[in-house]
Amino acid sequence: MIHNLIRLIAPVFLIKALSLHAQTTTQSTAFEAPSPSSPPPTMSCNALSGRTPGVQSRLNQYKSHVRGRQCIVLSADRTVDTDQLINQIPENTVILLSSNTAPAVKTPSPSGYPVSGKVPVEYLIGGEIRLKNGQDILGAADDGHEIVIRDRPGFVDKHFVKVGTTDNFQFDETKDSHIRHLSFQPSRENGSPAIDSIVFAECYNRKLILKDNVFHLPLQASLVLDCNKSLDASDNVNRQGPGLLFAENTVIGTSFKKLNKTLVPEKGISINLPAIRNQQEALTVSGNRIRGKMAEAGEFKLGSGSGINIFKNTVDISNYGSIGRPAFLKGGFALLGHANSGAKTPLFNVVGNKIRVTATAITIGGLIELSMSCNHLQAFNAWWQFQPQYNLKALPATFGDIGRQCENVVSFNDVIPTPRENIRAANTWTATHYSSDTACSGLVNFEGQLFFDTGNCQSFAPSFISSTRTTDSTTTTESICMNYRRLPDHTVKFFGLCFLMTLMGLFCVM
């Protein structure tokens, strides 16, 4: 009798035990899986309660910026997708990412990246963060911590943060957006990283401010600003198109595996605004540290009459390595203009930068104007003017730029050139890896003067360039490719490409 009773009761206890085990397993599994969630309500930035030291520090630091605005403080929770929270938050809100974590959540230091010496507080995202008009995202880490944004396994988008739209400037959205004090670390655990850029910005009509961040590079770049929609910024002072301040950031490139190949990122930063004309004082890339392995530190293409300030950046990179496809440009900065001789040329203010690369320090394409002072270039090639049919015009830097940007700028070896006339504004050049380049090597169609400590680059035009510049692509391509023997060695590598493009019926213009 008792034996039969035990046989009846035992399955009941077994079922309860299995049920309890299943609940425990489900809870453990759900700990890492994202769950739907809503952000906390907004409140006055002056009325936040339960502030962590990091949040209080940020509120004090940006007191005037947050005054009268709404704030939200988020905590790190691996069970919640941070992008889903942020995408529900209203525009013009200050979003503070604190060091607070969900109970029992541990955030181990990510593998594969340099150790910062700080405790990482990870915010995981499962898709793009769509930055709204006037939204700010500020890292508010306590001392000894850093706020890290990482993609969750199975991330399906190509970018961490998206700004603007493809075909609409959204002229009614004019409030600046800030992204500051964050570390972006794309995951490479799957062996096949799919992230193209950290921030992808298209057409918009406000200023995007990326400052004091750390970007570990994905496939393409930390920032891609790419707007091909036409706009004349001189028509309306309230319709200036995309503005950008990219300043005081650290950009780090490392090699990675993809489909059993070892690759390097394409570039540190990319700006492509060929159809925006007469945009002045809207674009600044300043005070950044770009280091590690990548094909190119920065590529900047502007439309007619526009300008960009490139001030006091430190570039120290190796250009060796494959990006998974033929890399046309490798080196430091590429300054790209247009091919229309009847339009205004874009102006590049390049002042106070230190550029050390293994390929070409500065690449020139199309028609541009260049104001260049107190830069320190160290590379195998000084210049590559890969479209020699187009003129590079050098303009003197303003006294204001020299005074502000040339202070305390020294070379990589901390060697100040021998004093001479205009030495404060002079650039320096150091050839590396048995290179015989001089400071002017690679300039093939040049007007004006560029001052270097070893001498000045004077105006020069190839003999095959006629006084009347043609804009016909086919004629120009044939002219260049037929006259390659008259050019310096540094441009010869371009003509193999010209020949192939001519055979394919393509044009060798930008």
Side-chain angles (χ1 to χ4, degrees):
M1 177 72 173
I2 295 176
H3 178 70
N4 292 335
L5 184 61
I6 292 173
R7 291 178 62 185
L8 290 173
I9 294 174
V12 175
F13 283 102
L14 180 60
I15 290 171
K16 283 187 172 290
L18 290 173
S19 175
L20 180 62
H21 176 73
Q23 290 176 12
T24 304
T25 304
T26 302
Q27 290 173 359
S28 176
T29 303
F31 183 74
E32 292 292 339
S35 60
S37 183
S38 298
T42 62
M43 61 183 352
S44 169
C45 296
N46 297 327
L48 288 176
S49 60
R51 303 169 182 170
T52 63
V55 169
Q56 184 61 59
S57 176
R58 286 288 175 256
L59 292 175
N60 293 339
Q61 181 180 0
Y62 299 112
K63 185 176 181 179
S64 61
H65 180 69
V66 303
R67 184 182 294 118
R69 298 179 63 188
Q70 296 291 298
C71 279
I72 281 182
V73 179
L74 300 182
S75 299
D77 187 343
R78 297 178 71 86
T79 68
V80 175
D81 279 338
T82 303
D83 57 292
Q84 292 186 9
L85 294 180
I86 293 177
N87 291 341
Q88 297 177 64
I89 295 174
E91 65 178 40
N92 200 32
T93 302
V94 180
I95 304 165
L96 296 135
L97 305 186
S98 73
S99 294
N100 279 344
T101 59
V105 170
K106 294 182 179 180
T107 54
S109 179
S111 61
Y113 295 103
V115 177
S116 66
K118 296 181 179 181
V119 177
V121 181
E122 291 186 348
Y123 285 76
L124 300 182
I125 58 176
E128 291 175 345
I129 296 172
R130 295 189 173 271
L131 197 66
K132 298 185 181 74
N133 180 39
Q135 274 187 343
D136 298 331
I137 305 177
L138 308 178
D142 296 344
D143 286 344
H145 294 72
E146 65 174 338
I147 304 301
V148 176
I149 310 294
R150 299 193 74 192
D151 53 307
R152 190 183 294 280
F155 188 89
V156 295
D157 292 320
K158 293 293 185 181
H159 321 283
F160 274 22
V161 181
K162 182 80 175 294
V163 183
T165 61
T166 303
D167 54 2
N168 189 345
F169 286 103
Q170 300 171 308
F171 290 119
D172 57 328
E173 298 185 0
T174 58
K175 294 182 174 66
D176 298 346
S177 288
H178 296 247
I179 297 177
R180 297 190 177 199
H181 309 290
L182 300 174
S183 178
F184 295 93
Q185 298 188 354
S187 172
R188 291 173 179 167
E189 295 173 356
N190 299 330
S192 180
I195 309 299
D196 285 342
S197 63
I198 302 298
V199 179
F200 182 64
E202 295 183 285
C203 303
Y204 56 92
N205 189 51
R206 61 190 196 271
K207 193 166 190 175
L208 176 61
I209 298 163
L210 304 175
K211 192 173 183 181
D212 298 307
N213 302 292
V214 177
F215 295 96
H216 294 274
L217 288 178
L219 290 176
Q220 291 184 359
S222 62
L223 165 71
V224 173
L225 173 51
D226 185 11
C227 176
N228 289 283
K229 190 171 177 61
S230 178
L231 175 70
D232 190 340
S234 65
D235 287 344
N236 189 328
V237 69
N238 296 317
R239 297 188 169 191
Q240 293 297 296
L244 174 69
L245 173 61
F246 189 88
E248 306 299 330
N249 300 294
T250 298
V251 179
I252 303 169
T254 56
S255 59
F256 56 91
K257 291 283 188 180
K258 183 178 181 183
L259 301 177
N260 298 321
K261 294 182 179 179
T262 300
L263 306 176
V264 298
E266 291 188 19
K267 50 184 74 76
I269 177 174
S270 175
I271 297 176
N272 182 50
L273 302 173
I276 296 180
R277 307 180 303 281
N278 302 313
Q279 187 190 54
Q280 299 294 327
E281 300 302 325
L283 305 173
T284 297
V285 177
S286 176
N288 302 286
R289 298 159 296 280
I290 305 175
R291 59 184 174 88
K293 298 178 180 180
M294 64 195 77
E296 193 176 21
E299 185 174 305
F300 313 102
K301 183 172 183 178
L302 302 182
S304 63
S306 293
I308 186 173
N309 296 322
I310 305 172
F311 293 155
K312 299 185 82 167
N313 300 283
T314 299
V315 176
D316 190 3
I317 63 175
S318 168
N319 307 121
Y320 296 119
S322 170
I323 63 172
R325 57 183 176 80
F328 181 47
L329 303 179
K330 280 194 172 186
F333 292 144
L335 314 177
L336 310 177
H338 57 74
N340 184 357
S341 61
K344 295 180 182 177
T345 49
L347 173 61
F348 295 82
N349 291 311
V350 182
V351 182
N353 301 279
K354 295 191 290 183
I355 301 174
R356 177 162 60 184
V357 297
T358 55
T360 303
I362 298 180
T363 299
I364 305 295
L367 293 163
I368 74 164
E369 292 180 348
L370 174 62
S371 175
M372 182 175 169
S373 295
C374 60
N375 300 281
H376 300 276
L377 311 181
Q378 187 172 334
F380 189 84
N381 302 127
W383 303 86
W384 185 30
Q385 197 172 357
F386 67 86
Q387 291 180 309
Q389 74 273 33
Y390 299 123
N391 173 263
L392 162 64
K393 184 176 182 180
L395 300 179
T398 67
F399 288 111
D401 284 347
I402 293 173
R404 289 188 299 269
Q405 310 304 334
C406 291
E407 259 185 330
N408 302 320
V409 177
V410 294
S411 67
F412 278 97
N413 300 319
D414 292 336
V415 177
I416 301 177
T418 305
R420 58 183 290 276
E421 186 180 1
N422 295 324
I423 190 59
R424 195 176 181 210
N427 305 282
T428 69
W429 160 250
T430 303
T432 60
H433 298 94
Y434 309 104
S435 170
S436 59
D437 264 23
T438 68
C440 307
S441 296
L443 293 173
V444 295
N445 189 354
F446 169 65
E447 176 185 348
Q449 281 190 320
L450 288 173
F451 298 96
F452 281 85
D453 59 316
T454 54
N456 301 337
C457 301
Q458 304 287 349
S459 298
F460 173 79
S463 59
F464 70 84
I465 302 294
S466 64
S467 59
T468 303
R469 185 183 290 111
T470 177
T471 59
D472 179 79
S473 303
T474 305
T475 303
T476 304
T477 302
E478 291 175 354
S479 175
I480 306 169
C481 294
M482 289 175 65
N483 288 276
Y484 70 93
R485 296 181 183 275
R486 307 181 192 177
L487 298 175
D489 291 340
H490 303 92
T491 59
V492 170
K493 57 185 175 181
F494 173 61
F495 298 106
L497 178 63
C498 285
F499 179 71
L500 290 174
M501 295 177 82
T502 303
L503 289 178
M504 295 169 63
L506 299 175
F507 297 144
C508 197
V509 295
M510 304 182 70

